[in-house]
Amino acid sequence: MAKDITVRTVMAILVDKREQAAVEVQKLLTEYGCYIKTRLGLHEGAGQYCSPVGLIILELVDDETKHEELCQKLNGIDGVTAKYMKLEI
């Protein structure tokens, strides 16, 4: 009996200069929106304090070359670090 393997591609995006980079990051996420199944954005914010650092987690689907392309473009933005991995379940 063949083993059923599910593969998920997950990308983590660390935005070190959130206020400066947010518009460029959002433009790219919109451009590649058809390849993003799930998006979760996290940053610390309480009252008048809003962290300048943000973390975005994406679950990516379909064309793997688009995943690499998105990652490269995100890494080209000052203050942004993106990495992705495939998880086999």
Side-chain angles (χ1 to χ4, degrees):
M1 179 186 246
K3 196 175 184 182
D4 184 27
I5 297 176
T6 301
V7 178
R8 296 282 190 253
T9 303
V10 177
M11 181 180 289
I13 306 163
L14 184 62
V15 184
D16 190 36
K17 300 175 182 176
R18 199 170 59 81
E19 289 183 9
Q20 290 89 348
V23 172
E24 286 183 78
V25 170
Q26 182 57 46
K27 282 172 94 173
L28 283 174
L29 296 181
T30 299
E31 181 181 339
Y32 288 85
C34 292
Y35 305 101
I36 299 171
K37 181 178 178 182
T38 308
R39 173 180 170 176
L40 173 64
L42 306 167
H43 77 279
E44 287 190 42
Q48 294 181 358
Y49 173 75
C50 193
S51 174
V53 178
L55 175 64
I56 302 168
I57 306 293
L58 305 177
E59 179 185 6
L60 302 172
V61 294
D62 293 330
D63 189 347
E64 293 178 25
T65 60
K66 295 295 184 182
H67 304 168
E68 176 66 27
E69 197 176 278
L70 173 59
C71 192
Q72 288 177 356
K73 287 183 178 183
L74 286 165
N75 282 316
I77 300 172
D78 186 40
V80 176
T81 302
K83 294 185 179 180
Y84 72 98
M85 66 183 137
K86 291 181 180 222
L87 302 171
E88 291 185 8
I89 302 169

